[in-house]
């Protein structure tokens, strides 16, 4: 009985420390997503539909466990061993080029570990990268006030290295792109001067423009941007996914055609490609209409808002930057995915956080939010905060 009481006491302590508001928002998003996934996979048959729902649900259950675990972990303490984080980041991505690596959707982005769901290393590494980058930027902020070239160069070089490393090993530019984006959000929050960003973005734009003029960019990259500027370009090829997605999204009207009743969603294989992953927002738009889409957007906004709200009360620069990094990740991923469905952003393989199908994705998202929850559990008392 004493052992049971101690166990119950430990569980209560863990739950008490966690941010239950954030967890509740994540669970609502996930539950909504599971319903959409069930609808989106109905055309595959009952057995496959149940399998996808169970995998997503299992990922969510493991994610909740990870959420509580990370809510009780002080990342500042672990980040002192920063070289271990860096070795893990590089080594885990390198597994893509071992026999464990698997190719899907044209990219070698997955590793198989004998589980029903494969793991995407870039999503897992994003967690440790964000913590490590937050420590790096926080050091510059606290010691050099983000002044000087080093404050820009070293963290930016870290993010760009990870992008290049992921792209070279997997050819997945979309997943790799998240790393520089997370850096930009953190650097802005840390107070890096705007002119550095203007210079960097301007230089990047000029560089990409020159590569395009001299036809040095991969053709499929050029095609994905071309189709955004001209929707009539290759409607049966590179523009097919987004054309069908926009058709589904626009046909839902205000209240949609009804759950499990969307024409495109319930159609055959070629009706709406990647409907349970990249184009889950189109499923929502077709079957639940604009109202359903607005609910999705509001839920995503509330999760992001909770991350930034936690950043404001964090006890250290590093903790605050961790929250900003994960909030930036969610913003970019949400905007890119919805923009892709609206045919105003290129398809780069980024899913809608918490809603799209993917066991490792949902697990890593809950773990990230658990880290944010841990930051909130260690905030300073009101009388010590600067106003």
């Amino acid at each position: 009985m004493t052992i049971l009481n101690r166990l119950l006491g430990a569980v209560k302590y863990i739950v008490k420390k966690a941010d239950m508001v954030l967890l509740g928002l994540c669970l609502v998003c996930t539950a909504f997503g599971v319903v959409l996934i069930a609808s989106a996979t109905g055309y595959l048959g009952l057995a496959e539909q149940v399998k996808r729902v169970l995998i997503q649900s299992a990922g969510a259950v493991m994610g909740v466990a990870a959420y509580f675990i990370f809510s009780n972990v002080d990342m500042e303490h672990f980040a002192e061993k920063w070289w271990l984080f860096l070795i893990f980041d590089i080594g885990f991505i390198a597994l893509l080029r071992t026999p464990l690596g698997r190719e899907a959707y044209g990219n070698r982005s997955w590793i198989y570990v004998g589980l029903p769901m494969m793991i995407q290393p870039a999503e897992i590494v994003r967690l440790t990268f964000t913590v490590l980058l937050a420590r790096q930027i926080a050091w510059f902020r606290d010691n050099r006030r983000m002044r000087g070239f080093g404050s820009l160069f070293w963290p930016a070089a870290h993010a760009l290295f990870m992008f290049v490393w992921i792209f070279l090993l997997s050819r997945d530019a979309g997943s790799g792109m998240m790393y520089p984006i997370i850096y930009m959000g953190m650097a802005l929050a840390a107070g890096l001067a705007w002119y550095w960003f203007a210079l960097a973005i301007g230089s990047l734009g000029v560089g990409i423009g020159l590569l395009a003029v001299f036809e040095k960019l991969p053709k499929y990259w050029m095609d994905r941007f071309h189709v955004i500027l001209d929707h009539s370009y290759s409607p049966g090829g590179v523009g097919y996914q987004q054309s069908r997605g926009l058709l589904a999204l626009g046909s839902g009207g205000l209240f949609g055609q009804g759950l499990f009743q969307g024409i495109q969603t319930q159609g055959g294989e070629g009706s709406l490609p990647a409907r349970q992953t990249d184009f889950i927002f189109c499923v929502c738009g077709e079957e639940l209409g604009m109202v359903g889409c607005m609910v999705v957007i509001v839920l995503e906004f509330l999760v992001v808002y909770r991350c930034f709200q936690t950043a404001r009360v964090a006890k250290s620069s590093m903790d605050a930057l961790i929250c900003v990094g994960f909030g930036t990740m969610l913003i970019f991923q949400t905007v890119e995915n919805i923009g892709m469905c609206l045919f105003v952003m290129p398809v780069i393989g980024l899913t809608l956080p918490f809603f799209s199908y993917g066991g490792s994705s949902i697990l890593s998202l809950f773990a990230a939010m658990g880290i944010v929850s841990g930051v909130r559990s260690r905030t300073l008392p009101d009388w010590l905060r600067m106003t």
Side-chain angles (χ1 to χ4, degrees), residues 2 14 19 21 27 74 76 87 147 152 155 207 217 241 315:
T2 303
I14 291 173
D19 183 353
V21 173
L27 287 173
D74 188 345
E76 282 198 280
I87 292 171
R147 294 172 183 168
L152 168 71
L217 290 176
Q241 286 183 310
K315 69 181 177 66

Side-chain angles (χ1 to χ4, degrees), residues 171-189:
R171 295 296 169 183
D172 187 353
S175 294
M177 188 181 297
M178 290 300 305
Y179 291 73
I181 294 296
I182 290 172
Y183 159 73
M184 291 178 65
M186 284 189 184
L188 279 172

Side-chain angles (χ1 to χ4, degrees), residues 43-58:
Y43 77 101
L44 295 172
L46 180 61
E48 193 66 25
Q49 181 186 38
V50 171
K51 175 185 174 183
R52 302 293 177 92
V53 168
L54 287 177
I55 289 175
Q56 189 75 356
S57 301

Side-chain angles (χ1 to χ4, degrees), residues 21-22 25 295-308:
V21 173
L22 180 58
L25 289 170
V295 171
V296 169
I297 292 171
V298 168
L299 286 172
E300 294 280 16
F301 168 80
L302 290 175
V303 174
V304 171
Y305 176 77
R306 192 68 176 178
C307 290
F308 288 143

Side-chain angles (χ1 to χ4, degrees), residues 341-361:
C341 293
L342 293 173
F343 218 156
V344 296
M345 299 283 278
V347 175
I348 60 174
L350 291 181
T351 54
L352 187 62
F354 297 104
F355 289 89
S356 293
Y357 172 76
S360 64
S361 173

